[in-house]
């Protein structure tokens, strides 16, 4: 019986070592995938932030142009209705 245990023990140790190596490889791969995912999320957020900033700048420009046009239209209307000497 001790003979069989001596034969079985190395096989079990080998299986445990192989499983441990597979698990370590899987955890390492998960780490790589996680790093890649974080990088992609950061890239998406940076792109979204850039687009949002561009939209805010554009809205500010449109607002400025609108105010200029309203002011010019108001002045023109005032000139039309102002008494002429």
């Amino acid at each position: 019986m001790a003979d069989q245990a001596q034969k079985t023990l190395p096989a079990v140790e080998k299986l445990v070592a192989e499983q441990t190596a597979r698990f370590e490889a899987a955890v390492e791969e998960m780490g790589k995938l996680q790093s890649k995912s974080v990088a992609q999320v950061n890239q998406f957020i940076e792109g979204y932030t850039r687009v949002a900033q561009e939209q805010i700048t554009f809205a500010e420009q449109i607002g400025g142009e609108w105010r200029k046009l309203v002011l010019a239209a108001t002045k023109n209307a005032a000139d039309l209705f102002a008494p002429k000497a």
Side-chain angles (χ1 to χ4, degrees), residues 49-65 67:
T49 302
R50 182 184 47 78
V51 169
Q53 288 172 337
E54 289 174 0
Q55 289 176 338
I56 290 168
T57 300
F58 182 69
E60 184 180 19
Q61 290 172 348
I62 293 288
E65 292 298 318
R67 286 188 302 274

Side-chain angles (χ1 to χ4, degrees), residues 24-79:
E24 288 173 353
V27 169
E28 184 178 334
E29 187 65 24
M30 283 174 33
K32 289 177 185 177
L33 292 174
Q34 182 180 11
S35 295
K36 186 176 179 180
S37 296
V38 168
Q40 288 175 339
V41 168
N42 281 334
Q43 192 175 26
F44 171 76
I45 290 172
E46 288 172 2
Y48 179 79
T49 302
R50 182 184 47 78
V51 169
Q53 288 172 337
E54 289 174 0
Q55 289 176 338
I56 290 168
T57 300
F58 182 69
E60 184 180 19
Q61 290 172 348
I62 293 288
E65 292 298 318
W66 181 83
R67 286 188 302 274
K68 288 178 191 176
L69 290 173
V70 168
L71 184 59
T74 302
K75 285 181 182 179
N76 287 338
D79 288 344

Side-chain angles (χ1 to χ4, degrees), residues 1-13:
M1 194 129 185
D3 228 13
Q4 189 169 0
Q6 288 176 347
K7 292 179 183 177
T8 306
L9 189 60
V12 170
E13 288 175 347

